[in-house]
Every structure is written in structure tokens, then in C-alpha cells.
Amino acid sequence: MRRGSSKKGSANSTTSTNSSAMDLFRSASGKAATKELERIDQLFHSYSNESSGMIDPEGIEYLCSDLEVEHTDVRILMLAWKMQAEKQGYFTLEEWRKGLKALHADTIIKLKKALPELENEVRRPSNYVDFYSYAFRYCLTEEKQKSIDIESICELLELVLGSHFPKQVDLFIQYLKTQVDYKVINMDQWMGFYRFCNEISFPDFNNYDEELAWPLILDNFVDWVKSKHS
Amino acid sequence: MSSQKKRNFQIEAFKHRVVVDPKYAEKTWKILEHAIHEIYHRNASGLSFEELYRNAYNMVLHKFGEKLYSGLVSTMTFHLKEIAASVEASQGPLFLEELNRKWTEQNKALQMIRDILMYMDRTFIPSTHKTPVHELGLNLWRDNIVHSTNIQTRLIDTLLEIVQRERNGEVVDRGLMRNVVKMLIDLGPSVYQQDFEKPFLDVSSIFYRGESQQFIECFDCGEYLKKAEKRLIEETERVSHYLDAQSEVKITNVVEKEMIESQMTRLVHMENSGLVSMIVDDKYDDLGRIYNLFRRVPNGLSVIRDVITGHIRETGKQLVTDPERVKDPVEFVQGLLHEKAKHDKIVILAFHSDKTFQNALNSSFEYFINLNPRSPEFISLFVDDKLRKGLKGVSEEEVETVLDKVMMLFRYLQEKDVFEKYYKQHLAKRLLSGRSVSEDAERSLILKLKTECGYQFTSKLEGMFTDMKTSQDTMRGFYEAMGRTLANGPMLSVHILTTGSWPTQSTTTCNLPSEILTVCDKFKTYYLGTHNGRRLTWQTNMGSADIKATFSGGQKHELNVSTYQMCVLMLFNNADRLGYKEIEQAVEIPTVELKRCLQSLACAKGKNVLRKEPMSKDVSEDDSFFFNESFSSKLYKVKIGTVVAQKESEPEKQETRQRVEEDRKPQIEAAIVRIMKARRVLDHNNIVAEVTKQLQSRFLANPVVIKKRIESLIEREFLERDREDRKLYRYLA
């Protein structure tokens, strides 16, 4: 969204020197805003694909190398989240504008500097659930796709939760890879696991109650862990 | 008298100004005292009642009641002391007799004294709140005789000793006992209770405790109980003869506690004679006795019930898991019916048809019948056996009895849907092979199932009967319309089955012989001509055929075979010898079926219309088959078909079980949706409970499966999880 545009029309005749300073400021900031927008757009076009008008996977790779970040790094995912990017591997102009504006980054350097702050923002508990569910949706590439295959889920888990709950994630990935009942994971199960990590004591699972409404896959996971230890 | 002051007239009582001679009282008293003495000396005949009464009356009138009363007390006391001494002096058995005699005399004396002193009793005594004469007499007796130091203990000991002797089998003087005990009762309830009843109960407790310990070592359960019962009867009888009625409940409680309650567990678990062996040996008398006796004590019946329940569950479990029994389904079910009949009889004959025992019986049966997952299949096979041959020539009443017994077992099943699946399969085979003993019996059972489970359970089964009937009509129409063109061909009989009503069968390949194919095609054309838009598929694995075969020596036989067998046999019209592979190529029947078919034609004794080389039991792909010229049989008609219902093989069983599980999924989902639609929001545990309850009449829903279905419904967006409370689910319209 464009920030405040310059006021048109007659100004109040009784404006004090203060307001004129404000006007100046506003017009200055207005100009600055426009400049920023321009630079953001420019940055966009430096990565975008000419024919599609979007940044495609190749473009993103370039972006990543410029940011000095692996394209599999979770911070790219966070960036996508900030942009609320819809399609995995692609950024549209609107999305790009949204994200970079919010980060106040109109150059690569500024963008790079904004990354740590972005990380902190994401990690705030109020945002994290949103980010976590976004991560799942982001990976649904086909239309009407509702679940993600085990292999990809394992990677995603590691990426998104690996630093938060390393032990649980590790064990769960192990379980997912060895079991045969489930070939895919759906959103309900995905969100269930996050809740699981947050609420259930580890590694004893003492407060886990099978009789409650935990997704079945987690019941099986707990059984599997318990039988492994006995 | 005009200005006279008014005087209050007072009418005074007329005082009899008799000068009372102070010696008068003394004199009168002496007369009365003398009379009392005489009465006590049993010399009352010389006394004048009227005179004595008057004397007493006068004394009271002249205000000498006090003197009279106290005189009475001291005189009676004096005599009682004499009596006490006399009683104390008696030896041995005479003690009680003397006491009794004196008591009788005392009562007579008291009666007379009371009569004489009646005026005092009615006037002086109430106004001075003194004890009335009769009661006074009793109290004095009590204090001076019964509570006399030398008598009190001796009396009670004597009484208790007599009771003990009677318990030991001696005959005692019950009349004497009755009188003496009555005396104690008359002296006041506290006298009887404190002086006699309490020590009586205490001593009895000790006695029976000892006896129970002794008996339990010497006698077996049945004997012991007989003895306990006898003692109870004895005690009741004793009370009725010479104790106070209120003691009955108290003494029987003592016996019950010491002889029954304290030994309950030991009795019930006694080896070789305890409750379990009574049940095993159908000892109705003993069982009736133990029921009646244990009923008297707290928890007695639950002890019996628990032991019986445990026993039935144990034997039932063995029954259903015994590998020998499991081999023959009909035997298996027969065994169950036998067990039930046995226990029913026990409950009726020995336990007075007690409802709690009936319930315990039912729950035990339900428990163990469901331990074997094949119970539903076996019960269906039992029914099949009965409806195919078992009920042949049996009266209608008996048929109903057997079917009712089947329904009783059916009610115990938790997996009624499994039964339904098997029943359908077996019914189909019965109908198609025309092997049902009586259509009435079939219909009767379906009606019973409908009453038990509702319309849905039986609608498809009824559809099967309808199809049979319709097919008959169709065949008639077919032959009327096409009769002439079919005259030279084989006679065809078709059953048209509506898919959905009949158990699903996968269609298999099979090349029918050309003559058969021709007539079948004609039928198909005819049928589709009258029923536009339908599709017919020949179920070659369910058909049968009658073939006429001629053997060497000109013997003709009519063979009843399955369709597959017919296809194979017809090949031998054009060849005497065929190898397995040639047969396979010609008929195109799947391997497993073909091998089974060839086995039944060549390897079964008495039915080997084909000869196999080599003569091994199993069919292999290298075998050769020959028409068996020398086949012989006593019967003209020979049955070789294999379309009879049998116990399923392991892989078949797995398949059926899988199908049942698949069928349950939509039922569970439908239940979940129904419940959520009504409740809108519900937590997990409650959904599981409600679903289980709704489906209970068909099968026991597995909570894990229910959970999985819920998740599937969430994925398909019928339900969602509540955002705040993770235990709740919401219905999405």
C-alpha cells in the first residue's frame, strides 16, 4: 500500500509553521516513499522472469545467492511467509512489494540485514503458529491437494521445527520413515504435531492421553516410541 | 328473714366420727398377715375371702394403707426367703423342678393375695405411685429368688446345660424348660434378655464356632451344609418349644454367622465337593441347599454368583478354544447349546430362577462366545446344517424350538454383522442348490431375525427369496415362449439374482460347452427382451448340472455336478484322454478352482468318474485324465457337486473378515455424522461412546477405527476441530 500521498487541495490558511514543516516532511517522506517503491520494483525486475512477470525458481536462486543464504534455508520460507506468497517457488510483484515494504528493505543489503529481525518476528509465539501452518500450505503445489508425502514432510519438519524441538522432530521423522500405515500427512496431523511438541512432556509422554482427540498418527507414534524403549 | 345476711351453705362430708382404735390397725393387719402365711402354706381353704377383703378395705379406708403395704412387702419377702433356701438346697435335677414348683405356687398365692388386696391395688397404690401388688410380687420373686446369689448363676448354668445336652442329642424335659423360661419372661423383658438370652447367645456362638471348625475338617461341602441346615431347623424348633419368639431371629443369626458366613469361602472352594463340582455334577439338591443357606447371610449369594461366573467363563473359554471342537462347527454349536441347557436347568431347579443368576449366566456366555472370532460363522453353519438336513421330518414345534435356541445364541454375539455375512452366503447356497428342508422354517428364522434386529437386517435376505420366486415365473414364461425351439436341447433352469441382495461373488472365466452356450444365449435374449436396460452375467461358479453318462457294460448313471465339473466332463465326449493343460485351455477355469474340480471328479472314492494318472491325491499340471469306464455305483443318481456350505479356509476367512471391516467403515461414518449433526459440538470421548452405543446391535466398534473415521471426515471437511478446545469437534454443515 502506498503510504500517505501528498495532500491535494487548499491547505488551511491558518496553518502554523509547524504544519508547513509537517507538509514538508510529508512531501519529503512521500517522495521518499515513492522512491522506495521504485527501488523495490527495480529489485523485483532484476530477478523476475520477463515473460511470466514473476520471480521464478531460477530467480529465487539468484536472490538467495545474493543474500548469501541457501535456497533451502528456512529464512527464505520466512520471507515467503512475510510476502504471503501463494505459489511455492514463485514471487509475484504484489507479494514482493508487500514483503519488502513491511521489512523496509529496498536494496539487497537492507533485505539481508532485515533477515535476522524477520526471524525474531516469526519466532514470536503469536506468529509462529501462523508460520507453521503457512509452511504446510505453501508445499501444496497441486490444485485440490490436501496432503504432503512423507519424504517432503520430513524435510519440512526439519526445516521448520528442527531448531525448536530437535529431539521430538528427530524421533518423529524416524517414526515416519519406518512406519507403513501412512503415505501422506494432512493439515490436521501437521498441526497436531506442533501442538504435541508444545503440550506433551518429553521424552516420557506422561501427560499424553490416547483417549483424547489427538490424531491417530500421534497415538501410533507414542506407542512406537514406548515399545522402542521397553 | 328479710335483712338476713346471706350465709354460704356448706355441705360438709359426712364424717364418720368413728373413734379408731389405734390397736385396730394392728389387729386387722395381724389377721391379714396370718392369711398370707396360710396362703403361702397352701392352707387357703379355711379362709374367708369376704372377710379378708373387708379387712383390707377398712385398713385402706382408715388411712392405714401404708401399714398394709409395707406389711405385705415384709411378709412376702419373709416367705420368699424361705423358698429361696428350699430351692438352693435342692440337688441336681431337682433344683429346676423345685424352682418350677415354687414358682407355680407363688403365682397362685399372688393371685389370691391380689384379690384380697384389690381395693388397695385400685386406690391407695395409684395415688401413692407404688408398685401394684402383682408386679410387686414378681419383683420380689425376682430379687429374692432369681437374683439371689446362690441361685442366679446356678439357674442360668442349669438352663444352658440343658440346652447343650439337647444339642448333643439328648432328650430333655421341654415342659419344664418352657415353664422356667416363661417365668423369666414374666419377670420382665430385661430379665429374660439380660439373665438368659444374652448368655444363651454367647454360649451358642462359642459352641457353633467350635462345631463349624470341627465339621469343616471332617465333612465335605454337601455334608457340612446338610448339618448346618439341620442345626438351623433344630434351633428354630427349640425356640418354638421353650424360648421366647423374639429369640428365634437372634439364634438363627448366630448359627448363620458361625456355621455359614465364617466358612463361606472355604466351603465354596472345597476341592472335589465345593460349588464347582456340584455344578459340574448337576447336584441339584446340594445346589438348592447352598443357595438357601447362603441367602441368609450378607454377600452369601454374591459369593456363589462370582464363583459360578468364573467357572462358566473358564469352561466356556476352553470350550470355544479347544482345537478339537473347532474342527466341526456343528459340534461346536451343539456344545454351546448343551452348556446353556445345563446351566439353565441349574438356575431353575436349584436357584429358584433367581434373576441375578440368570443375568450372571447371560453375561458369562456373552463373554466367552465372543472370545472365538469364528463363533458367528459357526452358528450360521449350524443353522445351515439344520435347515439342510437336521430338521428333516421334524415337527413344526420342534423346528421352532431349535430356531429359538439359535436366536438365543445369536443374541450373545457381539459381531452380528459377521453372522449376517455368513448367513447370507450359506442361505444363497441353500436356495440355489434347492437343499433347504423347508421354506417355512427358513422364513420363520428370518422373521425372528427381523424382530430382533429390525427391517434392515433382513431386507436383503427377503430379496433373495423373492428372486427365487421370480426366477420360477421367468422360466415358465421362457419355456412357454420358446418351448418348440428348445425341444432338442438341454433343459435349462435359470436363477436370476439381483446384485446387492446376494453375496458378492467375483465372476470367473469359464468356457461353456456349445450346446449349453446356445440355450443360455437364447435365454439371455428372451430375458433382455422383456427387461430392457438390465445386464446379465452368468455366475458359472454357482451353477449345477445333471448329466446322463453311460459306462462300460451299458450302465447308465445320472450325475449331479457343478457347472465347472460339467464343462470338464463334456470334453470327454470327444476324447478318452486329456492332459491337465489341455483341459485348462479348453475350459479356461481359474487354476485353484480347476484343480479342486478335477480332484472331486478323479480322486474321491465312489465318485471317480474320471481316472487320473498318476494316482496321487493332488492334482498337478502334468497329470493326465481318463474317462473311467469301469465306474460303478449302487445308486442311479450320483451327487458329485461341491456347492455345499463349509467352514471357510484360512484365506477365505481373511477375505470375509476384510470385507466385514470395509463394510463397517461407512456405518461408523454414518453414525458419526448423525450424532454430530444432532449435537453440533461434541468432545472426543462422548463421540466414541455414542457411536459405540448406536452400533452395538450390529458390532462392537473399535475406538481406534472410530478415531480414524473422524480424521477422515475432518479431511473431507465434514467436521473440524474446535479452535480453542482441542478436545471438541464441530459439525460443518
Side-chain angles (χ1 to χ4, degrees), chain B residues 547-561 569 572-573 601 606-611 626-633 635-638 640:
Chain B
I547 314 183
K548 283 210 184 74
T550 316
F551 297 87
S552 68
Q555 288 143 309
K556 291 199 177 71
H557 286 284
E558 190 176 290
L559 309 172
N560 174 260
V561 294
L569 287 176
F572 288 88
N573 272 343
L601 288 170
K607 309 208 171 164
N608 49 337
V609 289
L610 291 183
R611 201 163 38 88
F626 300 82
F627 179 68
N628 187 6
E629 290 277 332
S630 49
F631 171 78
S632 69
S633 167
L635 306 160
Y636 171 64
K637 290 194 185 182
V638 184
I640 315 187

Side-chain angles (χ1 to χ4, degrees), chain B residues 647-661:
Chain B
K647 195 173 79 153
E648 280 189 327
S649 63
E650 195 56 39
E652 283 174 328
K653 191 182 76 161
Q654 301 280 22
E655 217 198 298
T656 311
R657 169 73 32 187
Q658 228 177 346
R659 266 193 249 140
V660 168
E661 294 295 333

Side-chain angles (χ1 to χ4, degrees), chain B residues 32 103 141 271 292 438 441 489 582 689:
Chain B
L32 288 166
W103 167 248
W141 177 271
E271 260 197 66
N292 285 329
S438 134
E582 293 173 281

Side-chain angles (χ1 to χ4, degrees), chain B residues 307-319:
Chain B
V307 170
I308 293 185
T309 304
H311 168 74
I312 296 180
R313 286 185 185 214
E314 206 28 64
T315 42
K317 186 164 156 193
Q318 283 176 14
L319 203 66

